[in-house]
Amino acid sequence: MAQGDDPTRDSAPDLQILGDQITLQPRSYVEARRHDGQEEPLMHNMARFRSEPLQFLREVSLYVSGTGWRAYDNVIGQPIFYSGFSEQMKNAVVSAPLLQTRISQLADRRLEVEEKEGWLRKDDKDYVTKKAQRRAVIESGIQEVAEKMTNDMICKFESKTFIRGAYYLVTQLLTRAYHQGIHVSSEEVLRLRKVAEVAEKKKQSIIFLPSHRSHVDYVSMQLICYRLGLALPVVVAGDNLNFPVVGSFLQHAGAMWIRRSFGNDTLYTTLVQAYIDTLLQGGYNFECFIEGGRSRTGKLLSPKFGILSFILDSLLSGRVEDAVICPVSCQYDKVIETEGYVTELLGVPKKKENLADFLSGGSSVLSLRLGRVDVRFHEPWSLRKYIDEQLTKLTPSPSTLRLDVKTPETAAIKQKLLRTMGYKVLSDINNVSVVMPTALIGTVLLTLRGRGVGKSELMRRIEWLIARVGAKGGRVAHFGNAPLSDVVERGLDVLGKDLVGVVQGLAEPTYYAVDRFQLSFYRNMTIHLFISEALVSASMYTRVKLGGGPAHQEISYLALREQVLFLSSLFRGEFIFPGEGLAVNLEKTLVGLEDDRVLDLKRDEHGNILSIGLADEERAAGRENYDFYCFLIWPFIESSWLAAVSLMALTPPLDQKDGGSIWIDVAKAQNTAQLLGKTLYHQGDLSYFEAVNKETLKNSYQRFEEEGIVYVVKSRDPKVPPRLRLASEWMPSRDPTSGALQPSGKLWNFIERIASSRREGKNRRDGATVSTRVLRLVDTVGAKLFEDATSPESKAEAMLNNEEAAKLKRAVKAERRRRRLEGRAHL
């Protein structure tokens, strides 16, 4: 019987329990089960009242009565969803020794201030009594503030009736937007349940660390845990989502609200630590996003260490014995927010979340057909075991190390632990991620020369890409036995005509990218698999772009290695690189490209690579595979080049008094870089509009700061924005007569080094173009920056005070020492 005709069907697949083995089995399932890691749809579309009123009412009654798994009674994990849960949690947090110690310290500091100001006099005969009374008042006041903060922050798992209704409501909404439902790997969820059973016995928390591309990420995670009978995790969420109605709903479904910035509020910082301690000590599941905010570009962002630092501190201090880490990949056929991301990346300020926008956006989502959500769980691992392994590598005697005591040595070790853990989690996420059909289509369309591609050629390149994904250890989402042509049609339908257009009435249907900027989001979902090949290809392009015969386009191994090292360092904050090290990874990549007959390697009698050139087979094929790798990385090279060129605008004008002491608002400098990029694109000096991407420009500026190319100062006054200026050794020169920027010096050489791997344009030549009209344009936007910085309303912020200057001097010295100790490649 077809699923739609089955009157007994449930709104989601049932869990089949055979002895101690639990498997997912849809109602419509009729064939023998294969244990091959097959992915399963976790839920199907629910009945709608208009079309199926009786079935709709039946489904509602099942949730209200809590029939079967909907009851959410025998969950794996610690008890949640009972009356009094929130009060019990609040009492545990505010009575935590860590928080009480902090309250006492803050009271002591306040008493010291009051003594200095004469409010408490030591010569007073009742000094001891008055001081004790005053301390009690201060501590009571701080305790009251802490209780209020705790109540606002903690999640409130109070009502099982509420969560049953919330599950039904959210599933209704989600399956209407993502009409193909949520898919998981049956093998992975079986493993996760077994891990959860062990964790429950040991009273250990499972810490889910998902990738973050959409608000749907945490919704999907809660739905999956509910459906699998796992205790819902407490989810770290920014308080920007805590607006009326929605905020309360999310808090009762698992959200814990935290500020976007803690500032210098030591009470609040300690409160967050105490809450996380309490959750992990009690074995409650926990969830936070390793990337911090949502990725607006489609690829993984660099790890953010804020919440990870709290988790690590819980274990390093000994307050928590162990926790289980579970990296999670969340992939989509189409992400709801991509249109909003594009406007943000093009410089339009992000709108503050509010109820009106939520309701209007929610109603429009109901009519979308966005394909499916694919969630993958990496094999969970013990955080304690990982810490012990890393400490053995980092220090000769880990057993004698007191990590609960703050010293420069322990701070450095903790920072290394955080960094290695963060990048391990990102690597684990990449390892289990699947490539969706929309990502395949977006990648192919943006890595082909020409305006469009015929249907047969599109299919051929997608087949090639699927094979390459598999060869690189990646996985492509599969759709049962559906032929590839159907899967591609489905992907094109999901992307829609606003992203991919088709020209009919030709010899064959021809597809083309309508919105390349938005489509790049889906291309970036595959780039992590090919980043090594892309860097090698872009490095080799320094010779290929010169033209001539095959011998003229060869590059020596040493020259290639130097450029790969340079680009790897340039993009250190942009991509997640393999962990084998440059030499091993480069050798492996070159051999792989040789085996694929993309490159031809010439070796000496000992087998050492001497030079690299394009293989004859690749030339005969029109360089299509080599170009594919170049097209993946070129937009990012363009963006880094644009960011570097924009630094020339930070050169003070000749007539600017105290120009070398003027500091520029970081946000204004980055906005100027984006404005410059838009202008250069429309004038033909920039090949990719994606290069003006705000996030990629910010990453480039961050890299320049790390390398000491620019100095950035952050004021203690929150009203004063971060400011920057070029380091003196990187400052370009000006013509003493005309005042024009000179195409020479350290920064210019750096720009030229990036430009050597840029895609050559039809109507420009890099050096000549940049040294003439581009530099004149840079000078124009730079003059406006300095004019704004020295205006009466901004002049005070443009200069450093003595405290800031001393702090900068110390920071620069410490940063230089750190870079020397790291021994890593630098720009």
Side-chain angles (χ1 to χ4, degrees):
M1 182 182 292
Q3 178 187 310
D5 300 325
D6 182 4
T8 64
R9 67 179 171 89
D10 279 338
S11 53
D14 285 328
L15 288 171
Q16 183 186 41
I17 302 175
L18 297 172
D20 61 353
Q21 187 181 40
I22 303 172
T23 57
L24 285 168
Q25 187 170 356
R27 279 280 185 166
S28 58
Y29 191 81
V30 293
E31 295 178 4
R33 176 89 187 160
R34 295 199 322 263
H35 293 282
D36 57 357
Q38 178 182 342
E39 57 192 46
E40 297 284 358
L42 198 62
M43 55 190 65
H44 296 294
N45 286 314
M46 290 179 160
R48 300 191 181 188
F49 182 76
R50 289 181 182 177
S51 58
E52 301 174 278
L54 294 178
Q55 180 64 20
F56 175 85
L57 293 172
R58 175 182 175 275
E59 286 179 356
V60 172
S61 69
L62 289 174
Y63 281 90
V64 171
S65 61
T67 303
W69 56 266
R70 300 167 193 78
Y72 200 61
D73 285 332
N74 300 313
V75 298
I76 303 173
Q78 303 308 311
I80 52 177
F81 290 110
Y82 58 84
S83 181
F85 174 87
S86 305
E87 193 63 30
Q88 180 181 324
M89 183 62 66
K90 186 173 79 171
N91 291 338
V93 173
V94 296
S95 63
L98 186 73
L99 181 61
Q100 290 303 311
T101 301
R102 176 65 70 194
I103 290 173
S104 180
Q105 290 171 349
L106 291 172
D108 286 340
R109 290 180 195 171
R110 182 60 199 167
L111 287 171
E112 287 175 11
V113 170
E114 292 186 0
E115 283 185 9
K116 285 180 182 177
E117 294 178 351
W119 292 92
L120 282 172
R121 300 170 60 89
K122 289 187 177 180
D123 55 356
D124 193 318
K125 62 178 182 178
D126 297 324
Y127 168 74
V128 175
T129 304
K130 287 182 178 179
K131 184 176 181 179
Q133 290 173 344
R134 182 60 185 152
R135 170 187 286 281
V137 171
I138 293 171
E139 287 186 346
S140 175
I142 298 174
Q143 184 83 11
E144 193 174 317
V145 171
E147 288 177 6
K148 172 69 167 59
M149 285 179 173
T150 304
N151 188 63
D152 292 342
M153 176 175 60
I154 64 172
C155 92
K156 299 178 177 178
F157 287 144
E158 284 285 325
S159 168
K160 204 162 283 184
T161 303
F162 166 81
I163 201 62
R164 289 172 188 161
Y167 177 88
Y168 180 76
L169 173 65
V170 173
T171 305
Q172 280 272 4
L173 296 174
L174 191 71
T175 53
R176 292 188 187 191
Y178 288 96
H179 62 292
Q180 293 168 13
I182 299 174
H183 284 237
V184 296
S185 163
S186 54
E187 178 186 353
E188 290 170 3
V189 296
L190 287 171
R191 180 177 64 200
L192 178 61
R193 279 183 63 95
K194 288 176 181 176
V195 169
E197 287 166 358
V198 174
E200 179 187 29
K201 291 174 184 174
K202 294 182 177 179
K203 207 175 180 181
Q204 290 176 358
S205 303
I206 298 177
I207 300 174
F208 295 102
L209 299 176
S211 57
H212 199 17
R213 290 187 174 91
S214 169
H215 285 310
V216 178
D217 296 333
Y218 47 79
V219 175
S220 299
M221 283 295 300
Q222 298 297 81
L223 292 179
I224 290 169
C225 287
Y226 188 101
R227 185 63 185 86
L228 296 178
L230 302 178
L232 298 190
V234 174
V235 185
V236 178
D239 60 4
N240 57 305
L241 292 174
N242 189 12
F243 49 89
V245 182
V246 174
S248 177
F249 179 89
L250 294 176
Q251 193 172 21
H252 283 80
M256 66 167 277
W257 301 119
I258 61 166
R259 299 175 187 168
R260 305 297 284 179
S261 173
F262 291 9
N264 295 318
D265 192 336
T266 54
L267 176 64
Y268 188 78
T269 303
T270 307
L271 195 61
V272 172
Q273 181 69 71
Y275 184 34
I276 291 175
D277 283 354
T278 303
L279 290 171
L280 300 187
Q281 288 164 356
Y284 296 100
N285 292 342
F286 189 71
E287 178 184 333
C288 69
F289 294 101
I290 185 76
E291 302 162 90
R294 290 168 293 161
S295 170
R296 267 76 171 166
T297 60
K299 63 182 183 57
L300 285 180
L301 305 178
S302 296
K304 300 297 186 291
F305 302 118
I307 298 297
L308 273 191
S309 179
F310 287 115
I311 293 170
L312 203 60
D313 194 65
S314 295
L315 271 78
L316 293 178
S317 64
R319 295 190 299 271
V320 174
E321 179 56 36
D322 197 4
V324 178
I325 301 293
C326 183
V328 183
S329 166
C330 299
Q331 301 286 350
Y332 299 84
D333 269 329
K334 192 172 185 181
V335 172
I336 291 176
E337 300 100 323
T338 46
E339 284 187 29
Y341 291 166
V342 169
T343 57
E344 286 180 40
L345 294 174
L346 288 176
V348 178
K350 180 186 174 185
K351 253 184 111 177
K352 188 176 179 181
E353 285 83 357
N354 60 75
L355 183 59
D357 285 349
F358 177 83
L359 293 175
S360 60
S363 61
S364 63
V365 161
L366 296 181
S367 60
L368 298 177
R369 292 177 65 82
L370 302 175
R372 80 187 205 192
V373 183
D374 207 295
V375 180
R376 297 302 173 107
F377 298 90
H378 191 275
E379 183 175 0
W381 39 273
S382 161
L383 181 53
R384 172 63 65 189
K385 183 180 177 183
Y386 177 78
I387 290 171
D388 291 344
E389 288 172 354
Q390 291 301 310
L391 288 179
T392 303
K393 295 176 184 177
L394 293 173
T395 178
S397 52
S399 57
T400 59
L401 197 63
R402 290 286 307 279
L403 287 169
D404 56 328
V405 179
K406 290 186 178 179
T407 65
E409 181 191 8
T410 57
I413 289 174
K414 183 179 177 182
Q415 197 60 37
K416 286 181 181 177
L417 273 174
L418 273 174
R419 187 175 181 82
T420 54
M421 179 184 168
Y423 279 98
K424 172 178 167 52
V425 170
L426 291 182
S427 179
D428 287 349
I429 290 172
N430 273 338
N431 288 340
V432 295
S433 293
V434 295
V435 178
M436 307 300 284
T438 48
L440 295 172
I441 295 167
T443 301
V444 168
L445 286 175
L446 295 184
T447 53
L448 290 173
R449 294 186 183 272
R451 293 190 184 92
V453 59
K455 179 70 177 289
S456 58
E457 179 66 4
L458 177 64
M459 294 298 299
R460 186 181 72 84
R461 291 304 293 172
I462 287 177
E463 285 178 348
W464 175 85
L465 181 54
I466 289 172
R468 294 308 310 144
V469 168
K472 292 290 293 180
R475 293 185 287 180
V476 176
H478 57 80
F479 287 76
N481 296 320
L484 181 61
S485 58
D486 288 357
V487 174
V488 172
E489 282 294 341
R490 198 179 303 173
L492 289 168
D493 184 55
V494 168
L495 287 172
K497 63 183 186 326
D498 292 336
L499 268 69
V500 180
V502 59
V503 183
Q504 302 286 0
L506 305 178
E508 67 171 335
T510 299
Y511 298 90
Y512 63 96
V514 176
D515 188 341
R516 300 182 71 90
F517 202 113
Q518 193 174 162
L519 205 56
S520 69
F521 184 93
Y522 301 95
R523 177 207 59 206
N524 290 343
M525 291 180 178
T526 65
I527 195 170
H528 66 278
L529 292 166
F530 308 110
I531 186 61
S532 299
E533 289 80 1
L535 291 179
V536 166
S537 299
S539 299
M540 193 175 163
Y541 189 67
T542 58
R543 296 291 300 179
V544 172
K545 73 193 297 186
L546 300 177
H552 189 65
Q553 291 185 358
E554 282 186 6
I555 185 171
S556 72
Y557 176 78
L558 290 178
L560 179 76
R561 186 182 185 279
E562 282 301 307
Q563 187 68 0
V564 169
L565 182 63
F566 171 75
L567 293 177
S568 299
S569 183
L570 183 67
F571 294 125
R572 187 183 297 161
E574 193 72 57
F575 300 109
I576 314 303
F577 296 106
E580 301 103 324
L582 177 69
V584 173
N585 188 46
L586 179 57
E587 181 85 16
K588 186 188 294 184
T589 303
L590 288 173
V591 170
L593 289 170
E594 181 185 36
D595 292 342
D596 294 337
R597 302 310 300 142
V598 175
L599 299 182
D600 188 31
L601 309 182
K602 290 185 179 177
R603 297 177 171 84
D604 62 16
E605 63 273 16
H606 303 294
N608 299 315
I609 301 171
L610 296 176
S611 64
I612 300 97
L614 285 174
D616 292 339
E617 294 88 338
E618 184 64 16
R619 291 181 184 280
R623 236 172 62 182
E624 63 177 3
N625 296 336
Y626 171 79
D627 283 352
F628 168 83
Y629 297 122
C630 287
F631 275 113
L632 282 177
I633 197 71
W634 271 336
F636 294 94
I637 292 175
E638 283 269 79
S639 193
S640 291
W641 174 84
L642 171 61
V645 167
S646 73
L647 294 183
M648 300 282 284
L650 300 179
T651 311
L654 276 184
D655 59 353
Q656 185 81 56
K657 292 181 180 179
D658 298 322
S661 303
I662 298 296
W663 290 73
I664 305 295
D665 183 323
V666 170
K668 288 182 179 179
Q670 291 173 357
N671 290 340
T672 296
Q674 192 170 50
L675 176 65
L676 175 67
K678 291 177 181 178
T679 309
L680 292 177
Y681 174 78
H682 288 291
Q683 292 182 359
D685 294 316
L686 204 65
S687 299
Y688 296 95
F689 195 53
E690 302 150 57
V692 305
N693 183 317
K694 192 174 183 179
E695 285 299 315
T696 312
L697 288 172
K698 282 175 66 176
N699 287 344
S700 294
Y701 268 73
Q702 178 65 37
R703 243 352 246 118
F704 299 156
E705 180 189 353
E706 291 169 1
E707 292 298 322
I709 300 173
V710 295
Y711 297 143
V712 177
V713 170
K714 295 177 182 176
S715 174
R716 294 175 67 178
D717 183 352
K719 294 180 181 178
V720 178
R723 295 150 289 164
L724 61 72
R725 74 172 174 83
L726 270 174
S728 56
E729 64 268 30
W730 289 85
M731 190 73 73
S733 59
R734 289 185 177 275
D735 183 281
T737 306
S738 66
L741 284 168
Q742 297 295 290
S744 60
K746 196 172 181 180
L747 180 56
W748 176 257
N749 293 337
F750 176 63
I751 292 169
E752 288 284 86
R753 183 98 186 256
I754 299 173
S756 66
S757 285
R758 285 180 76 203
R759 182 185 181 189
E760 189 69 24
K762 292 180 180 178
N763 303 315
R764 64 171 171 79
R765 290 294 178 266
D766 291 330
T769 300
V770 176
S771 62
T772 51
R773 68 173 181 271
V774 172
L775 278 190
R776 284 199 298 271
L777 186 59
V778 167
D779 222 355
T780 301
V781 296
K784 182 72 168 64
L785 274 177
F786 280 92
E787 182 185 329
D788 290 347
T790 53
S791 63
E793 58 270 20
S794 303
K795 197 163 186 180
E797 296 175 2
M799 309 293 284
L800 297 190
N801 58 38
N802 292 336
E803 181 186 351
E804 289 171 337
K807 184 179 178 182
L808 173 68
K809 191 174 180 180
R810 291 193 300 270
V812 169
K813 190 175 180 181
E815 186 62 24
R816 286 174 176 168
R817 188 188 308 117
R818 180 189 66 79
R819 290 205 298 270
R820 281 198 307 270
L821 290 173
E822 275 186 347
R824 295 164 77 179
H826 300 289
L827 300 174

